[in-house]
Every structure is written in C-alpha cells, then in structure tokens.
C-alpha cells in the first residue's frame, strides 16, 4: 500500500464555482477511498465537449461547485475495502460509465449499459454513501460523471476503472476514456461496415473523426464527411475521409444530396453531432434494403426524432450506441493494445498540450473550435 493510504490528501484541482465561469485552481482535500472505491493519481487529462456542456449548464441541472473532467489516465494510489483486481501502482483509465460485472447488462454480450454504474451527470456524490470525497475547508465540492479528473487525485468506483498495459504512454491513451472510444466503437462494433463499403459520418469533431477512423480500419472504400464547418475538412483527410458535404452549400436536404452522390444511399452512416435534424438525415441517407444508421450524439432533452415509417419498412436499420458498445473494464485494455501495436493512431487526435495551471486555455481551444483534444499535464 502507498504511504498515503487511508489519509486525506491535499492537492490541486480545477474547481468550477459557477456555470460558465473560469475554472479556479484550488487546494482541495481528497478523502480516502471507501469500500469498492479507488483513489487515483491523475497524470494526464483532456477536455471533452461534454465537460464544456455541463460547465455551461444551459440545459442540464446545474451542480456547483464541481470538479469536471472525465478523459484521463493515471496510477492507482490506494484502494478501498473489497477491491481485489486493482492495486497501488497499476496504470489505469477512469471511465464515466462503468462495468459492475454482476448486473444483467454486464452479463449480456449485447449490452454495456451497466445498471449500477451507468452515467449519471446529475449525481455529484459517490454512490456508496451519497457523500463527496472532495472538500475545501470542510465544505463539499461535487464530483462529475463519477470521475472528476481535473484534480491531481480523485476517487472513483472500482467498476469505472480500466487497468491497462503499464508500458502504454499515459499522455496518449488518456483520450480513450470517452470520445475516441465512442466514435471508434460506433463504427467497429455497431455499424460494422464491410470492406469496400460506403460510410457517411455526420459531424467531424473528435467523435466523428474517430468514427471515420473506425470505418477506415474496417476497410470502407468511400467515407463521406458531413459538417457545416468547412475548416474541418482538411483535417478529416487524415482520418480517411475522402469526400465532403456541407449541408449549407445545398438547397435540398443533405440526405438527398448523399443519395444522389452514391446511387441510392450509403451502406452505413454514423451521426456524431447530437442535432436531431442531422440524426434524421443520417438515417434517411442510407440505402434501402441493407443500410444501417448509427446514432452517437447526445440530443437535446426535448428533441423528437421524426421519419416516415416506410423508411424503416424498406429495410433500413436504425441503431443507437453508448460508449461505442464497449464494456469499459473488459474492452478498453484491448483498445490500448491496438494503439501499442500501431493498429490505431492516437497522436493525430491530439492538437494541443498545456500545463494544468493553464486549463482554462484548453477550454478556449475547444470553445473556439480549434481543438480535437488538448492534453493537460497535471504536473504543470
């Protein structure tokens, strides 16, 4: 056990005191892990669009003060009672959704929607006792997505921690905890494009480009990128995207444009924006008879998906996915190995790096649309 096991650790954390206000580097107390929890030393983290969305709190229930962050990598510092498959010193990736390995979903080969540890963004406390492990002067600072990786130390349920190859560079694999795995899995595990097939990817942010990467790895011969921001097109070429469609450039629905381009529709489509109109277009642009559309983006809580039933009756398939259908503890180690074996490139997703003291700059990069992933060095 580490020499800090069982003790409160005081460390730096970036605290969001109010919605939309700059994060503040504070000294916080991090309590020891309780039963079935682990305390992690976070070495690298990154900013995901979801962190921005919940920090802005425009449509979600505001929970503040809070420590955001859910894409990261680090080392186990100590473990709580009942933890048997992790030990201090293990290299790990925390994940916003979990795998208890006991519920009906975890035991199913077809689901990764763990009953116990499915993401709950409104809960700012640990599930075991309803308490936060973070505090300043005795007052609680709330958790985010069960991870809160904008802290040098954090406490996470053991079911939300994937143990990985200790040789893997943590400053690269830290981005696998959310977006990259979500997009990659949407292609490899759900859309499953055949070699030589055509794929349309809606939204060319990190998730969409990861989906394009998955389509490229699958051997798709035609990958069409769809986005309203033309600045993204050059970057997308590095991920196998060879054709581009900007819906703003056409006076007809983009699904009709794609159908005409492809002689009836693409074989697969993957929607990564969360915009319901893009979701409808992604579904309606696949070929009748065999086309499959996969929805990845998180829609507005009041969004309604509308399409004519004949689109389904003509043998188009609509699927949804969560975290790319990956079971985090079971499957993330294998994705890390793909990277280690040079089957997956992660470096091209990393556009910026900043020290922890400049974390607000990472938010600026994301808000300005200049960043896929900005790696934050926690020792900086």
């Amino acid at each position: 056990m580490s020499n800090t096991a069982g003790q409160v650790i005081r460390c730096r954390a970036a605290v969001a005191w109010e919605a939309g206000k700059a994060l503040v580097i504070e000294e916080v107390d991090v309590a020891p892990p309780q039963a079935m929890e682990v305390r992690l030393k976070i070495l690298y983290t990154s900013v995901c669009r979801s962190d921005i969305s919940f920090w802005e709190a425009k449509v979600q229930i505001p929970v503040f003060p809070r420590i955001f962050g859910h894409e990261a990598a680090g080392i186990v510092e100590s473990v709580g009672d009942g933890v048997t498959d992790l030990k201090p010193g293990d290299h790990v990736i925390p994940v916003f959704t979990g795998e208890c390995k006991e519920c009906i979903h975890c035991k199913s080969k077809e689901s990764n929607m763990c009953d116990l540890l499915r993401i709950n963004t409104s809960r700012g406390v640990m599930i075991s006792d309803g308490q936060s492990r973070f505090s300043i002067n005795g007052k609680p600072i709330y958790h985010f997505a069960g991870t809160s990786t904008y802290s040098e130390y954090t406490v996470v349920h053991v079911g939300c921690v994937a143990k990985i190859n200790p040789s893997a560079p943590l400053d690269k694999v830290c981005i696998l905890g959310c977006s990259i795995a979500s997009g990659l899995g949407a292609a490899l595990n759900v859309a499953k494009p055949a070699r030589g097939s055509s794929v349309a990817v809606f939204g060319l942010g990190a998730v969409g480009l990861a989906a394009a990467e998955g389509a490229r790895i699958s051997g798709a011969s035609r990958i069409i990128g769809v986005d309203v921001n033309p600045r993204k097109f050059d970057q997308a070429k590095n991920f196998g995207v060879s054709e581009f469609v900007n819906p703003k450039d056409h006076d007809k629905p983009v699904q009709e444009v794609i159908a005409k381009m492809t002689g009836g529709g693409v074989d697969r489509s993957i929607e990564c924006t969360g915009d319901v109109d893009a979701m409808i277009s992604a579904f309606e642009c696949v070929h009748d008879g065999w086309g499959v559309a996969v929805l990845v983006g998180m829609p507005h809580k009041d969004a309604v998906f509308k399409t004519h039933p004949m689109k389904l009756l003509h043998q188009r398939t609509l699927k949804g996915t969560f975290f790319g259908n990956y079971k985090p503890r079971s499957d993330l180690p294998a994705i890390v190995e793909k990277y280690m074996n040079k089957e997956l490139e992660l470096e091209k997703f990393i556009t910026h790096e900043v020290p922890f003291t400049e974390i607000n700059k990472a938010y600026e990069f994301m808000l300005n649309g200049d960043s896929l992933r900005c790696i934050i060095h926690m020792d900086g």
Side-chain angles (χ1 to χ4, degrees), residues 4-82:
T4 51
Q7 302 176 23
V8 172
I9 292 178
R10 180 161 292 180
C11 69
R12 295 181 304 169
V15 178
W17 290 100
E18 297 179 59
K21 297 294 179 66
L23 306 181
V24 180
I25 304 294
E26 303 276 15
E27 291 287 322
V28 302
D29 290 331
V30 185
Q34 301 303 304
M36 302 307 292
E37 297 173 359
V38 296
R39 188 162 58 185
L40 309 178
K41 178 177 176 60
I42 299 298
L43 298 180
Y44 301 95
T45 188
S46 67
V47 176
C48 174
R49 173 57 64 176
S50 297
D51 293 309
I52 299 288
S53 297
F54 284 91
W55 166 72
E56 292 176 325
K58 291 180 178 178
V59 295
Q60 301 87 3
I61 298 172
V63 180
F64 293 95
R66 199 170 206 182
I67 298 172
F68 287 102
H70 65 284
E71 284 188 348
I75 298 172
V76 175
E77 176 270 337
S78 60
V79 302
D81 291 342

Side-chain angles (χ1 to χ4, degrees), residues 57-375:
K58 291 180 178 178
V59 295
Q60 301 87 3
I61 298 172
V63 180
F64 293 95
R66 199 170 206 182
I67 298 172
F68 287 102
H70 65 284
E71 284 188 348
I75 298 172
V76 175
E77 176 270 337
S78 60
V79 302
D81 291 342
V83 176
T84 58
D85 55 352
L86 289 173
K87 65 183 185 304
D90 283 343
H91 288 214
V92 296
I93 295 175
V95 186
F96 65 92
T97 187
E99 181 186 355
C100 72
K101 298 192 175 183
E102 299 295 332
C103 72
I104 189 170
H105 285 276
C106 287
K107 291 181 177 180
S108 168
K109 293 181 179 180
E110 299 182 24
S111 174
N112 67 343
M113 303 287 288
C114 177
D115 282 332
L116 178 66
L117 300 171
R118 193 178 306 183
I119 186 172
N120 182 335
T121 55
S122 298
R123 184 179 60 228
V125 294
M126 301 300 290
I127 62 173
S128 62
D129 59 2
Q131 301 295 314
S132 174
R133 302 290 176 259
F134 300 110
S135 63
I136 295 178
N137 297 324
K139 295 183 178 181
I141 307 296
Y142 295 107
H143 296 249
F144 173 68
T147 50
S148 291
T149 60
Y150 296 167
S151 175
E152 291 176 310
Y153 287 86
T154 189
V155 177
V156 182
H157 191 284
V158 67
C160 296
V161 181
K163 180 180 176 181
I164 63 169
N165 184 339
S167 299
L170 298 181
D171 61 333
K172 304 297 188 296
V173 299
C174 63
I175 64 175
L176 289 173
C178 181
S179 299
I180 309 308
S182 296
L184 187 72
L188 297 178
N189 299 334
V190 188
K192 299 180 181 178
R195 183 165 296 278
S197 62
S198 58
V199 179
V201 177
F202 286 70
L204 299 178
V207 179
L209 293 179
E213 183 78 350
R216 183 191 66 79
I217 291 170
S218 297
S221 61
R222 192 174 185 184
I223 303 175
I224 302 169
V226 183
D227 202 293
V228 297
N229 184 353
R231 289 190 301 164
K232 296 182 178 181
F233 291 164
D234 280 342
Q235 187 176 52
K237 294 175 183 177
N238 296 326
F239 298 85
V241 178
S242 56
E243 298 172 73
F244 305 95
V245 177
N246 185 337
K248 291 183 177 180
D249 292 341
H250 302 274
D251 57 5
K252 63 177 65 175
V254 69
Q255 53 267 47
E256 294 181 16
V257 175
I258 293 173
K260 185 175 181 180
M261 289 172 59
T262 56
V266 289
D267 301 307
R268 300 289 186 268
S269 72
I270 305 171
E271 185 284 323
C272 305
T273 71
D275 179 83
V276 71
D277 291 328
M279 293 179 173
I280 294 168
S281 296
F283 173 62
E284 295 185 350
C285 82
V286 299
H287 207 291
D288 58 1
W290 61 80
V292 177
V294 179
L295 306 186
V296 183
M298 294 296 292
H300 187 278
K301 62 182 179 64
D302 298 323
V304 177
F305 185 100
K306 293 182 179 180
T307 192
H308 197 283
M310 290 305 297
K311 298 287 185 181
L312 287 160
L313 295 176
H314 284 170
Q315 299 174 28
R316 294 177 180 86
T317 299
L318 180 64
K319 292 186 174 184
T321 180
F322 179 73
F323 194 54
N325 280 30
Y326 286 120
K327 293 179 184 288
R329 295 166 76 185
S330 298
D331 296 334
L332 264 185
I335 305 176
V336 170
E337 293 308 311
K338 278 184 178 291
Y339 168 73
M340 297 295 284
N341 295 332
K342 302 188 184 306
E343 300 170 29
L344 172 65
E345 296 181 52
L346 294 178
E347 287 83 357
K348 60 188 177 183
F349 289 96
I350 299 170
T351 51
H352 300 82
E353 298 188 37
V354 298
F356 186 38
T357 53
E358 297 180 16
I359 189 170
N360 286 296
K361 190 175 292 185
Y363 268 47
E364 291 174 16
F365 291 144
M366 182 66 75
L367 287 166
N368 292 336
D370 298 328
S371 175
L372 288 179
R373 278 298 172 269
C374 178
I375 303 302

